Amino acid sequence: MSERMRFDRRSFLLSSGVLATGVVAAGSLDALAARPAGAAPRSKPHSSPDYGPLRPVRDQATGLELILLPEGFEYISYGWTGDRMSDGRPTPGAHDGMGAFRPGKFAGDPGKRPGGDPGVDHKVWIVRNHEINDLDGAFIDAAYDPMASGGTSNVVFDTRKGEFVESWASLSGTIRNCGGGVTPWGTWLSCEETDLRNGEVQHGYIFEVPHDGVSSAKPYKAMGRFVHEAAVVDPKTGWVYMTEDDGPTGLYRFRPNKRGKLDEGVLEMLAIGGSTIDTGSDPTGVEYGDLSWVRIDNPDPAPSEPSVGRQGIAKGAASFAALEGAYYHDGKVFFVASGGGPTGEGQVFVYDLRANRLKVLIAPTDTGVLNNPDNVCVSPRGGIMLCDDGSGNQFLRGLTQDGEIFHFAQNNLVVPSGGIPGKSVEPGDYSWSEWAGATFDPKGEWLFVNIQTPGVTLAITGPWGRGSL
């Protein structure tokens, strides 16, 4: 089969309820946030009461049943590790965090970049991280560290045709590009999940990647050198909120001296009350007031100097279980502690930026409810989706209004013994591999998500309006 989805997109969307639904208020999030401390899901995860049970669905590109989805949903794969991109380079592996853009829609866009197509409303630009930890050489010349093999690639998707149409390498010379976040001016902040020192070259920084071009590979050292996971921007202030996947770990805020210019500013760490507290085992519904921020005096420490986390803790900043994905939606920052909560299987926090309040949105007291979620995203309709990164079966999970967790998709990826025609990935069972990078296109018609190993990107569409996503 060709890597194209051959069906009438508008008829499908109308029949499935996507176009008719539109973008709704975040009622599900309001209901979740109102749940009391200690509240737990009514049962362990199962299929959605609205979308229905999962079933194997064939990939429109390869014909293989790579994943399980509810009835009515379709998908197409693209950008398998090793596939030739439009620039002639092989697609890097270890697909991770992603951000989706509709060009020409950015508030405060500092300028369109050459090669962009901002007037095409039916195209989505995607920036994709590659969490590669090797020092085998960069895959493009404009690299931060010529020995480092991580970075990003960009992909263009045509929503009208239901096909991927272009891809290219956009950043390299970095290490373990894990999570990140989109900016209101149309770029992607790619985060290095490491503080490795390669000779004289230090890693552990954030890099900015244009949605329609190639990064300058300039590290933003003022934003901190630490084990970065994700970064989200408050469109009202231009301030950046960042998570750290290490210990001691905290929630960080970067206030740039000038909006949209991230090379200078003030780095801070969240404090709760008058002394350091540890939120790592707190259950659903715990709420924190008296929030403040302590300044990090040395955001770019040498290996022999105190880390930014230790600097913040020494000043009374709050401690969290290792923080993972983060997402901005409707004046709130949602972020995940993958191993936090009473069972050590995960916490989801919500930080209300306007009210300056923090709450544990969900952290089950029963085992088997979460599976160490990593990435998190919120649909334009206000539904929360979590990417599994634990053991056993790997699911994309959604949340209902009353806090019940449901299975939306399951990894079923098996490369047959003879391989996949035209692909270089090795045969094998990859159903154990984590989901990563879930992000909706800004109109909410398509979900883009990765299966990290063997490395492939999926575009999923269907009757979103039937349920909470």
Side-chain angles (χ1 to χ4, degrees):
M1 294 185 183
S2 66
E3 293 191 344
R4 302 191 174 193
M5 192 176 288
R6 299 296 188 183
F7 54 89
D8 185 336
R9 290 293 312 133
R10 183 168 180 83
S11 297
F12 175 78
L13 293 171
L14 284 171
S15 65
S16 64
V18 173
L19 293 181
T21 302
V23 177
V24 299
S28 61
L29 300 185
D30 293 338
L32 278 171
R35 300 176 74 230
R42 292 196 305 268
S43 61
K44 293 187 178 182
H46 50 77
S47 34
S48 166
D50 302 309
Y51 296 123
L54 304 185
R55 61 188 181 89
V57 179
R58 291 190 182 278
D59 172 24
Q60 296 286 335
T62 65
L64 299 174
E65 295 176 342
L66 304 178
I67 62 174
L68 279 63
L69 287 168
E71 184 176 0
F73 284 87
E74 303 276 357
Y75 69 99
I76 184 170
S77 70
Y78 181 82
W80 294 73
T81 298
D83 283 359
R84 289 289 169 184
M85 296 187 286
S86 304
D87 62 4
R89 296 180 175 90
T91 301
H95 302 34
D96 212 300
M98 295 193 295
F101 305 84
R102 290 264 185 173
K105 305 296 183 182
F106 312 121
D109 191 339
K112 303 296 185 295
R113 294 169 174 81
D117 193 3
V120 182
D121 189 54
H122 58 276
K123 289 187 178 180
V124 178
W125 272 249
I126 302 160
V127 186
R128 176 180 57 200
N129 278 351
H130 297 278
E131 193 184 16
I132 300 173
N133 197 36
D134 299 333
L135 295 173
D136 295 332
F139 51 79
I140 56 176
D141 294 334
Y144 167 63
D145 177 353
M147 293 181 63
S149 305
T152 64
S153 58
N154 290 24
V155 176
V156 182
F157 185 80
D158 189 320
T159 61
R160 185 179 298 169
K161 296 179 180 179
E163 67 183 54
F164 292 92
V165 296
E166 190 178 3
S167 58
W168 65 93
S170 53
L171 168 70
S172 192
T174 52
I175 295 177
R176 290 185 62 88
N177 296 70
C178 189
V182 300
T183 72
W185 47 90
T187 60
W188 169 253
L189 301 180
S190 185
C191 298
E192 287 189 301
E193 190 190 14
T194 184
D195 57 2
L196 175 76
R197 183 182 179 95
N198 178 29
E200 296 302 312
V201 182
Q202 293 195 145
H203 289 269
Y205 299 114
I206 287 180
F207 297 79
E208 192 166 15
V209 184
H211 70 270
D212 58 354
V214 176
S215 175
S216 66
K218 173 185 176 181
Y220 286 141
K221 296 184 178 182
M223 299 183 76
R225 177 177 176 266
F226 56 89
V227 182
H228 284 277
E229 176 71 27
V232 299
V233 182
D234 177 3
K236 182 176 180 179
T237 62
W239 297 352
V240 186
Y241 295 83
M242 300 170 289
T243 57
E244 178 184 19
D245 188 7
D246 200 11
T249 184
L251 181 68
Y252 297 91
R253 180 174 74 180
F254 180 72
R255 295 186 289 113
N257 293 344
K258 184 177 180 181
R259 179 186 175 91
K261 303 296 182 180
L262 304 179
D263 51 351
E264 295 181 345
V266 175
L267 179 65
E268 300 166 314
M269 191 171 176
L270 180 69
I272 302 173
S275 60
T276 296
I277 71 166
D278 186 351
T279 66
S281 61
D282 290 345
T284 300
V286 173
E287 190 166 359
Y288 314 91
D290 192 19
L291 305 183
S292 60
W293 296 86
V294 299
R295 183 166 181 158
I296 303 300
D297 297 318
N298 182 12
D300 187 21
S304 61
E305 298 173 328
S307 68
V308 293
R310 294 192 182 282
Q311 292 178 57
I313 296 295
K315 288 187 171 185
S319 176
F320 294 81
L323 295 181
E324 299 276 2
Y327 203 88
Y328 172 88
H329 180 81
D330 194 30
K332 300 177 180 66
V333 175
F334 298 84
F335 61 97
V336 174
S338 183
T343 66
E345 294 180 335
Q347 294 164 302
V348 180
F349 291 85
V350 57
Y351 175 40
D352 190 320
L353 299 176
R354 311 301 169 236
N356 196 34
R357 302 288 293 183
L358 177 68
K359 187 171 185 177
V360 182
L361 192 66
I362 187 163
T365 56
D366 191 12
T367 59
V369 177
L370 288 179
N371 189 18
N372 303 115
D374 190 330
N375 294 168
V376 59
C377 76
V378 182
S379 78
R381 288 162 291 275
I384 296 177
M385 178 171 283
L386 301 168
C387 295
D388 273 3
D389 186 17
S391 59
N393 294 329
Q394 300 295 298
F395 292 96
L396 285 177
R397 303 177 192 241
L399 295 179
T400 65
Q401 289 189 24
D402 59 1
E404 188 167 356
I405 301 172
F406 64 88
H407 297 154
F408 172 74
Q410 182 179 344
N411 179 2
N412 190 51
L413 199 162
V414 177
V415 176
S417 58
I420 303 173
K423 309 297 179 188
S424 61
V425 295
E426 294 292 327
D429 184 344
Y430 298 97
S431 61
W432 53 265
S433 179
E434 68 178 274
W435 294 91
T439 185
F440 283 86
D441 91 273
K443 287 189 175 181
E445 298 173 1
W446 292 86
L447 171 71
F448 303 99
V449 66
N450 296 316
I451 296 176
Q452 188 172 75
T453 305
V456 62
T457 299
L458 309 177
I460 302 171
T461 193
W464 301 109
R466 284 204 321 237
S468 58
L469 297 174

